[in-house]
Amino acid sequence: MQPKDVVEQFIADTRAHRFDEAKAWLVADGFEYVGPNMHFLSPDDMLSYQFGMAAIQKDLVLRQLSADGEHVFAILDYRTNFEPIGDVRLAVWFRVRDDKIQTVEAFYNAAVVENMLGGNLPSAN
């Protein structure tokens, strides 16, 4: 399977709140998620956070997906039911090895998420 296909399926599973299926696309050992205000070293921790956000997720729209070898880049609109934050535009860089996502690095307006969560941000550190 091509890295772009792996990421596309991971995004589809996340969009549909199929978190167990999404987890299957992530490496068990050596995983890392880095965002502007969160850091996870475990797929379970990252997906637990995503599960917690599912209640406000109206849609996850994939606007662009491109790949360069093992590197896959996605532009997404995270549409919410939570009016104080509205929609969040995300740029996400994935690194895929052996048909599994090893690293995820997300870029978005961190102030919006911090305000929504009242400063209670999860971290692996």
Side-chain angles (χ1 to χ4, degrees):
M1 186 173 250
Q2 294 297 314
K4 186 176 177 180
D5 299 326
V6 170
V7 170
E8 189 170 32
Q9 188 58 56
F10 172 77
I11 291 170
D13 288 339
T14 301
R15 178 179 187 235
H17 301 167
R18 295 186 302 254
F19 297 109
D20 287 338
E21 289 88 339
K23 181 180 174 182
W25 297 107
L26 305 173
V27 297
D29 295 319
F31 175 81
E32 183 174 27
Y33 168 91
V34 178
N37 52 9
M38 285 174 254
H39 184 217
F40 300 110
L41 297 174
S42 153
D44 289 327
D45 291 344
M46 183 191 78
L47 290 170
S48 290
Y49 174 74
Q50 288 294 329
F51 181 76
M53 298 292 287
I56 68 164
Q57 179 185 317
K58 185 183 336 179
D59 201 1
L60 184 62
V61 179
L62 178 60
R63 298 180 61 210
Q64 176 72 38
L65 189 66
S66 60
D68 182 9
E70 68 182 13
H71 302 276
V72 181
F73 308 91
I75 305 296
L76 303 153
D77 285 334
Y78 187 87
R79 296 191 178 154
T80 76
N81 295 312
F82 192 68
E83 289 192 26
I85 66 167
D87 300 337
V88 178
R89 181 153 299 145
L90 309 165
V92 188
W93 174 18
F94 299 87
R95 190 170 69 206
V96 179
R97 291 194 175 148
D98 300 322
D99 294 338
K100 297 282 186 176
I101 297 168
Q102 183 172 10
T103 61
V104 179
E105 190 166 352
F107 305 86
Y108 55 88
N109 182 350
V112 170
V113 176
E114 286 183 23
N115 289 337
M116 179 185 66
L117 298 176
N120 297 323
L121 298 171
S123 175
N125 296 337

